[in-house]
Amino acid sequence: IASAASDVYKRQHFGGLGIIISIKDDQLTIISPIEDTPAYRAGIKAGDKIAEIDGKSTEGMALDEAVNILRGEKGTEVTLGIKRENIEELLRISIIRDIIEVKAVKKEIMGRDDNIGYVRITTFNINTDPELKEALNEFKKDSDIQGIILDLRNNPGGLLDSAIEVASKFIKEGPVVHIKDRDGIVATIESRGNKYPEWPLFVLVNEGSASASEIVAGAIQDTGRGKLMGEKTFGKGVVQQVFNLYDGSGIAITTSEYFTPSERSINHIGIEPDILVEPAEDSEQDMQLNKAIQFLEEELN
């Protein structure tokens, strides 16, 4: 699987939709819409297949070609023909391009007794670690915080180093990920340590959790540091190096594959949660988050 994230960041004057796309099962697939972006607001979902772009079939279309078509001037419109699971007819969704600016970390205090720190990570970039550190430092100062919910749903990944830093905030020591290169040489990356309390931890994942999200989730699950709740993750277990091109675009080259601390492969497989919780399609309530709060409160009590 090769992923493209060219429209996540501002590239000169170009706009985007706010989606991470990949080729999966020979089809152009949405790994995840990014929260608070045009695609997210238009109702695009993780797992959607892009069958058409502005009426043109995507069959046989290369990933970089699709990215270049989807990217464009802010304020311009593109119409996607979407194949969605359990829906027979093709959905046609029009989206207005915009400059995509993503805040990496969002935090909130939850629970009946205001004793649960909720952290949502939307992407893994250079801002993720300092923003997460700020959130956890605030929780550490708050003596009422007794447990943490880490939300990685619809997080399509990002920088490997950012994933290592995030995992290290919860895992004090030991391996976080094993990386095998093209020559079969394996490098084990250890936790960089932290000074945070060993808060009880629940991690929310779904089919939009990919790549760096799966590194963090797999490390937390394998080390027993916390419980995963939600749905099976996407299954993108490769490391890619991005080369920037003169026009502001880039090309990603797959250089290696990663494995969890217990040496599980994730690529094309994904990670099964410890506790399976399906989303409530016909409800405005976030059943997965509600369940995480319920389970964490029971554990704290």
Side-chain angles (χ1 to χ4, degrees):
I1 304 171
S3 68
S6 298
D7 66 343
V8 180
Y9 307 106
K10 184 176 180 180
R11 308 273 190 185
Q12 298 175 355
H13 61 283
F14 291 107
L17 307 181
I19 55 175
I20 304 297
I21 62 175
S22 177
I23 300 295
K24 186 175 184 181
D25 300 327
D26 297 323
Q27 290 185 292
L28 199 60
T29 304
I30 306 287
I31 297 180
S32 175
I34 300 170
E35 193 171 336
D36 297 329
T37 64
Y40 183 89
R41 291 189 289 269
I44 295 295
K45 296 184 177 182
D48 282 348
K49 310 291 186 182
I50 304 178
E52 294 178 358
I53 302 175
D54 285 335
K56 179 183 177 182
S57 172
T58 61
E59 185 176 357
M61 184 179 290
L63 188 60
D64 56 351
E65 180 185 358
V67 170
N68 288 332
I69 294 172
L70 293 172
R71 193 178 62 175
E73 294 281 354
K74 174 183 176 180
T76 59
E77 183 179 76
V78 62
T79 299
L80 305 184
I82 295 293
K83 288 183 180 177
R84 182 169 294 167
E85 190 176 7
N86 299 324
I87 297 180
E88 188 172 341
E89 67 271 16
L90 194 68
L91 303 176
R92 288 185 170 81
I93 301 175
S94 295
I95 307 172
I96 304 297
R97 296 180 179 92
D98 201 353
I99 301 301
I100 308 302
E101 297 178 0
V102 180
K103 182 172 175 59
V105 176
K106 300 179 181 181
K107 69 180 186 301
E108 194 173 338
I109 294 176
M110 297 181 169
R112 289 191 300 265
D113 300 322
D114 292 330
N115 61 349
I116 295 174
Y118 169 84
V119 180
R120 177 173 178 80
I121 299 180
T122 60
T123 186
F124 289 84
N125 60 28
I126 59 174
N127 297 319
T128 305
D129 181 51
E131 290 181 17
L132 177 61
K133 191 179 299 182
E134 179 183 350
L136 294 180
N137 285 339
E138 289 185 20
F139 292 155
K140 186 178 178 180
K141 292 177 183 177
D142 187 341
S143 59
D144 291 332
I145 297 299
Q146 298 177 24
I148 299 292
I149 294 174
L150 176 62
D151 194 345
L152 298 178
R153 291 175 298 174
N154 296 321
N155 182 326
L159 302 176
L160 173 62
D161 194 64
S162 178
I164 304 304
E165 291 288 357
V166 169
S168 298
K169 296 293 182 292
F170 300 99
I171 301 168
K172 289 189 183 297
E173 60 183 8
V176 168
V177 66
H178 307 289
I179 301 175
K180 182 186 292 186
D181 68 15
R182 290 176 175 270
D183 298 322
I185 298 173
V186 178
T188 297
I189 301 181
E190 304 271 336
S191 168
R192 294 167 183 171
N194 68 72
K195 298 180 180 179
Y196 297 110
E198 290 280 339
W199 291 297
L201 175 66
F202 278 81
V203 182
L204 291 172
V205 293
N206 65 3
E207 63 179 338
S209 306
S211 188
S213 291
E214 293 172 293
I215 289 178
V216 174
I220 288 172
Q221 186 178 58
D222 278 9
T223 59
R225 176 61 185 86
K227 296 286 188 182
L228 304 191
M229 178 179 284
E231 302 160 277
K232 183 179 178 180
T233 63
F234 185 84
K236 182 180 181 296
V238 293
V239 179
Q240 295 176 317
Q241 185 173 357
V242 178
F243 297 91
N244 294 321
L245 303 180
Y246 71 93
D247 63 351
S249 64
I251 183 170
I253 304 296
T254 299
T255 57
S256 51
E257 182 177 356
Y258 67 74
F259 297 81
T260 69
S262 64
E263 300 185 1
R264 287 186 294 160
S265 175
I266 294 171
N267 204 34
H268 301 295
I269 299 172
I271 298 175
E272 296 283 354
D274 299 297
I275 304 167
L276 178 64
V277 181
E278 300 282 355
E281 296 290 344
D282 57 347
S283 173
E284 293 184 0
Q285 293 191 10
D286 188 339
M287 296 303 297
Q288 293 172 329
L289 177 56
N290 291 343
K291 277 290 184 182
I293 293 172
Q294 176 190 333
F295 272 67
L296 188 48
E297 286 181 334
E298 290 174 358
E299 184 170 325
L300 294 176
N301 290 330

